[in-house]
Amino acid sequence: MTAVESRPAGGGTAHAGEAVGKRSQFPRSPGDRPFGARVKAFVALTKPRVIELLLMTTVPVMFLAAKGVPDLWLVLATCVGGYLSAGGAAAFNMYLDRDIDALMDRTSQRPLITGMVSPRECLVFATALAVGSTAWFWCLVNPLSAMLSLAALLFYVVVYTMILKRRTSQNIVWGGIAGCMPVFIGWSAVTNSFSWAAVILFLVIFFWTPPHYWPLSMKVKDDYERVGVPMLPAVAGNKVVARQIVAYSWVMVAVSLLLQPLGYTGWFYTAVALVCGGFWLKEAHGLQSRAKAGITGAKLKEMRLFHWSITYVSLLFVAVAVDPFLR
């Protein structure tokens, strides 16, 4: 099965011939797929850059749940299980989206598109990671974390990739729930339970995801328009997108400040949340001002907010981990 023979994507099928031509240029025989390149391709299926962010939200929560240093073997087991689970979800995503990935500049070098990994190999690999990660969590962490991990994987694959992504401009809003689950997994790994602290941090990531991803989508909206994926910037003007980014940003910052009055964190986390949140809101409003002025292209500087969003979530969750030692 070629990249364009999976389920159709809005306008994607109009470019089926183009995708077939693109696929035919890439190596298919074993001799054209050296071992080292194949290993790198399978690693690429797991989207390691994305998983770095997921682990950045998992480990600090474990420190907060333990009110200090958690069992380091438990941290290692949770991180390994989280990588396997998120990697499996990413591989399923690439398998299901290989038709549109072949037509998008941003994804045209993914392993299934270059032919370095076949669709069947990808599907087997993704299934093995899904089963293996669930068993890993169940045996080495606890059953609750295993179920949460499996739920996150299924939500990302079925709800986001198969249902929402190609049907609604709010796809990343609700699909982002899968990316919030590492907070619950980290907390449950330590306590085998839930708490309001975990719920608050879950909501921080929930409201962070759209204003994190939409600036990138604004940059590559031509890709989404080409394949008919209704990512918000592809179906709405920059003014509308920027207004929603600002709205989500204010809610995110407000939610991030709830941990201190509820007694879960102290002055250090609150100070970091205020400072980082302030910089975030400055960037979000700056983007909105440029969009209102009709600025487009490189001068819109939408990627400034995207890059800051990664710094923001990293600093905020480092503060989550450090705060218990300063109380």
Side-chain angles (χ1 to χ4, degrees):
M1 181 179 289
T2 65
V4 295
E5 290 173 348
S6 63
R7 52 198 182 86
T13 53
H15 302 272
E18 176 186 345
V20 170
K22 184 179 288 188
R23 278 298 303 261
S24 65
Q25 300 173 14
F26 294 110
R28 294 167 182 258
S29 66
D32 292 328
R33 300 186 295 176
F35 178 77
R38 291 264 287 162
V39 171
K40 290 181 180 179
F42 277 100
V43 172
L45 287 177
T46 66
K47 297 183 182 179
R49 292 290 298 277
V50 175
I51 292 174
E52 288 177 16
L53 282 175
L54 296 179
L55 295 181
M56 176 59 71
T57 60
T58 303
V59 176
V61 171
M62 297 181 74
F63 278 76
L64 183 62
K67 298 180 180 179
V69 180
D71 182 283
L72 296 182
W73 285 110
L74 180 63
V75 173
L76 178 62
T78 304
C79 288
V80 171
Y83 181 86
L84 296 176
S85 179
F92 275 122
N93 173 265
M94 289 195 197
Y95 174 82
L96 292 167
D97 278 352
R98 64 194 188 279
D99 57 336
I100 59 175
D101 282 350
L103 303 175
M104 296 174 65
D105 294 336
R106 186 172 64 89
T107 56
S108 62
Q109 294 303 306
R110 285 180 171 175
L112 286 174
I113 312 308
T114 62
M116 195 59 66
V117 176
S118 72
R120 176 175 292 183
E121 289 171 333
C122 179
L123 186 58
V124 171
F125 180 65
T127 303
L129 289 179
V131 173
S133 63
T134 304
W136 177 279
F137 269 115
W138 190 282
C139 297
L140 299 180
V141 183
N142 58 53
L144 177 58
S145 296
M147 292 298 97
L148 290 170
S149 172
L150 180 60
L153 184 150
L154 292 175
F155 194 95
Y156 183 74
V157 174
V158 178
V159 178
Y160 172 67
T161 304
M162 298 179 68
I163 298 175
L164 296 176
K165 184 174 181 177
R166 308 191 191 202
R167 290 178 172 84
T168 172
S169 62
Q170 296 299 299
N171 46 23
I172 200 66
V173 176
W174 301 108
I177 289 175
C180 306
M181 295 297 284
V183 171
F184 282 156
I185 293 170
W187 191 277
S188 67
V190 174
T191 67
N192 199 26
S193 65
F194 295 106
S195 82
W196 283 110
V199 172
I200 291 168
L201 291 171
F202 176 99
L203 291 175
V204 169
I205 300 300
F206 177 80
F207 290 111
W208 169 85
T209 301
H212 158 70
Y213 195 78
W214 281 335
L216 174 62
S217 302
M218 294 170 78
K219 179 74 172 179
V220 299
K221 66 179 181 180
D222 289 347
D223 266 352
Y224 289 113
E225 291 172 351
R226 185 182 307 125
V227 298
V229 172
M231 200 65 67
L232 184 63
V235 299
N238 288 343
K239 293 180 183 178
V240 173
V241 178
R243 184 168 62 246
Q244 291 208 31
I245 285 174
V246 167
Y248 275 95
S249 297
W250 274 99
V251 176
M252 176 199 72
V253 173
V255 171
S256 72
L257 296 173
L258 292 177
L259 286 176
Q260 197 275 335
L262 292 178
Y264 291 107
T265 56
W267 67 269
F268 180 75
Y269 167 84
T270 303
V272 172
L274 282 170
V275 172
C276 291
F279 275 109
W280 178 296
L281 292 174
K282 177 178 178 294
E283 288 294 336
H285 279 279
L287 176 59
Q288 185 182 36
S289 296
R290 293 189 292 274
K292 282 184 176 181
I295 296 174
T296 58
K299 292 184 178 180
L300 184 60
K301 300 178 181 178
E302 68 277 5
M303 292 300 286
R304 280 178 53 171
L305 182 58
F306 172 77
H307 291 306
W308 169 248
S309 69
I310 297 173
T311 303
Y312 169 85
V313 79
S314 300
L315 292 176
L316 189 74
F317 276 80
V318 166
V320 167
V322 172
D323 190 86
F325 299 99
L326 301 176
R327 299 184 67 189

